[in-house]
Amino acid sequence: MFGARCLLRALRSCSSAPCPRHKPSAKLSVRDALGAQNASGERVKVQGWIRSVRSQKEVLFLHVNDGSSLESLQVVADSSFDSRELAFGSSVEVQGQLVKSLSKRQNVELKAEKIEVVGNCDAKAFPFKYKERHPLEYLRQYPHLRCRTNVLGSILRVRSEATAAIHSFFKDSGFVHIHTPVITSNDCEGAGELFQVKVMEGLFKTTTMTVLSNCPEDVELCHRFISPGQKDRLEHMLKNNFLIISYTEAVEILKQASQNFTFTPEWGADLHTEHEKYLVKHCGDIPVFVINYPLALKPFYMRDNEDSPQHTVAAVDLLVPGVGELFGGSLREERYHFLEQRLARSGLTEAYQWYLDLRRFGSVPHGGFGMGFERYLQCILGIDNIKDVIPFPRFTHSCLL
């Protein structure tokens, strides 16, 4: 009896429910719509921003992009859809039939049945103009909007792929990804009070990036400052498209340069970006490893080379064309007494006892390096300014967001 009542109730419910006239439109990204294999009139829904509007007497053409593809989807609609709201930069939702395009410029197009403006855009006030190629310096003023342009969209896509590839490489090699503490000058959401961080001289090294142009030099000049015992090594490195020189040799090359540098090269002074770019140009626009920096220039944890009177550490920087330093690394000082003496001279033994413990309890010889990810993107993309490979760059006198 109970089962019969349930069945009767279900039948009544079904009979009173309205029957759908059409199959609901499938929501597609622009990328998926452009890649559709069977464009035979299936109903779809696409959302995105208008990249261009072209109105003719009987037909309206829109190009819509949602950021999933560099190529935009062409929307064809009746001229009755035309309105002031359908402007460059406006966000829209378009429903219609995905059909094969008659134009040779695209395989498919969307025949619009409904166009809804989700967000209006005043095209006159919008900082980007239709069909205008804005320079990167101009786009830099609008970090919150520039990702809508093709050039920044392309850079961000490469950035995403590079991030994934690097993580995949280390994961496949057995590394474990950890999140280390980050010091920030922003009081996040008013959650606490800020505290001041004091940089202690001689312990941690900070660098400033200076972008200057350099003049090409004769690669043969590199040979002048290479010791005879390094000649075989030099020839080998040149054949393999990279070079190794010491910091001392690098300074001598810079001192002999005909170029006037903003920062005068001297032994014991840090190499600036202008110096690094000059060294790369000087050596034939090939990657250059600079090794054995003065101890005073580097952090306390780098391994002492015990080469008085110069007193250098086993550090290495990789310099690459167009960028300068790409990564820096070193052997770590695994010898307890060296670290203890160095920290004691600075009066910081107590503060860094935790670091000494790492050497007291089962230490091993080891090394490490850090790569500037944005500089890597500059290198592979040929971007001159590092600000253009960072989604929201902050730099001197500019913190727009």
Side-chain angles (χ1 to χ4, degrees):
M1 186 69 178
F2 178 76
R5 288 178 179 175
C6 290
L7 179 59
L8 181 61
R9 191 180 298 117
L11 289 171
R12 286 175 178 173
S13 175
C14 289
S15 62
S16 60
C19 297
R21 295 182 179 180
H22 298 291
K23 183 180 179 181
S25 301
K27 183 179 176 181
L28 292 181
S29 67
V30 168
R31 180 181 179 179
D32 289 341
L34 291 171
Q37 299 295 322
N38 182 24
S40 56
E42 62 271 26
R43 284 184 169 79
V44 301
K45 177 168 61 178
V46 172
Q47 299 169 327
W49 289 274
I50 296 177
R51 287 289 182 88
S52 70
V53 183
R54 183 161 52 94
S55 180
Q56 296 183 355
K57 187 176 181 180
E58 296 181 354
V59 66
L60 174 69
F61 294 98
L62 302 177
H63 280 92
V64 176
N65 195 297
D66 61 357
S68 63
S69 169
L70 287 179
E71 186 181 355
S72 298
L73 176 65
Q74 177 168 281
V75 176
V76 183
D78 187 87
S79 59
S80 60
F81 282 100
D82 196 8
S83 72
R84 292 182 179 180
E85 292 183 333
L86 294 178
F88 174 65
S90 296
S91 58
V92 294
E93 179 179 282
V94 184
Q95 297 186 49
Q97 293 179 293
L98 195 63
V99 298
K100 186 174 178 59
S101 178
L102 299 177
S103 173
K104 294 181 179 179
R105 295 182 179 181
Q106 63 270 325
N107 294 324
V108 298
E109 60 188 24
L110 183 57
K111 187 178 179 181
E113 297 173 348
K114 179 182 178 182
I115 301 178
E116 178 185 353
V117 177
V118 179
N120 292 317
C121 177
D122 183 348
K124 292 183 179 180
F126 192 48
F128 308 146
K129 305 304 176 186
Y130 175 54
K131 285 189 175 180
E132 188 170 338
R133 294 179 65 88
H134 300 288
L136 292 174
E137 291 80 3
Y138 177 80
L139 297 179
R140 218 173 284 148
Q141 301 175 68
Y142 307 98
H144 54 302
L145 296 173
R146 64 178 184 167
C147 58
R148 291 200 207 172
T149 65
N150 275 346
V151 62
L152 263 296
S154 298
I155 290 173
L156 292 178
R157 284 182 177 84
V158 174
R159 183 186 177 99
S160 175
E161 291 298 321
T163 302
I166 290 171
H167 278 264
S168 178
F169 169 81
F170 281 108
K171 182 179 179 181
D172 293 344
S173 300
F175 287 81
V176 176
H177 183 206
I178 64 170
H179 294 272
T180 55
V182 175
I183 297 175
T184 176
S185 61
N186 295 319
D187 184 4
C188 302
E189 301 178 4
E193 295 183 0
L194 297 179
F195 59 92
Q196 186 176 7
V197 177
K198 183 178 180 181
V199 178
M200 299 177 180
E201 192 71 28
L203 286 182
F204 293 96
K205 175 176 173 283
T206 58
T207 58
T208 303
M209 187 171 185
T210 308
V211 180
L212 296 173
S213 59
N214 295 282
C215 300
E217 294 290 333
D218 187 352
V219 68
E220 291 299 323
L221 293 178
C222 281
H223 291 270
R224 295 185 186 178
F225 306 105
I226 304 298
S227 60
Q230 295 174 311
K231 185 177 180 182
D232 291 340
R233 182 185 65 173
L234 170 62
E235 292 176 352
H236 173 73
M237 296 304 174
L238 286 174
K239 289 177 182 178
N240 287 278
N241 294 323
F242 66 90
L243 178 67
I244 296 181
I245 60 175
S246 69
Y247 166 87
T248 301
E249 292 163 342
V251 171
E252 289 302 317
I253 292 172
L254 294 169
K255 283 184 175 181
Q256 296 294 326
S258 58
Q259 179 175 323
N260 292 323
F261 296 109
T262 302
F263 299 93
T264 303
E266 294 289 345
W267 202 99
D270 206 354
L271 298 181
H272 293 266
T273 301
E274 59 175 340
H275 302 144
E276 295 164 350
K277 288 186 175 182
Y278 177 89
L279 290 170
V280 173
K281 286 279 188 182
H282 176 80
C283 295
D285 270 330
I286 59 174
V288 177
F289 287 98
V290 181
I291 62 174
N292 298 337
Y293 282 78
L295 179 144
L297 291 179
K298 293 297 182 180
F300 72 96
Y301 51 76
M302 293 191 177
R303 200 178 200 277
D304 196 328
N305 282 333
E306 300 180 81
D307 57 348
S308 296
Q310 287 187 330
H311 209 176
T312 64
V313 290
V316 57
D317 286 348
L318 173 62
L319 316 181
V320 297
V323 175
E325 180 187 344
L326 177 60
F327 77 66
S330 73
L331 295 179
R332 305 312 198 222
E333 185 59 83
E334 84 284 3
R335 297 166 294 185
Y336 180 86
H337 68 283
F338 275 85
L339 275 175
E340 186 180 40
Q341 291 173 7
R342 198 175 298 173
L343 290 171
R345 286 194 296 268
S346 302
L348 295 167
T349 302
E350 184 176 351
Y352 285 90
Q353 187 59 52
W354 64 272
Y355 200 90
L356 290 172
D357 285 349
L358 294 174
R359 271 47 181 181
R360 290 173 61 201
F361 305 119
S363 179
V364 295
H366 63 288
F369 73 92
M371 183 183 74
F373 181 64
E374 280 76 21
R375 296 187 183 191
Y376 166 71
L377 293 174
Q378 277 187 275
C379 182
I380 63 175
L381 290 171
I383 302 294
D384 291 330
N385 199 310
I386 198 169
K387 303 180 186 74
D388 297 322
V389 294
I390 301 173
F392 299 95
R394 271 80 169 182
F395 49 96
T396 307
H397 307 304
S398 179
C399 187
L400 298 180
L401 295 176

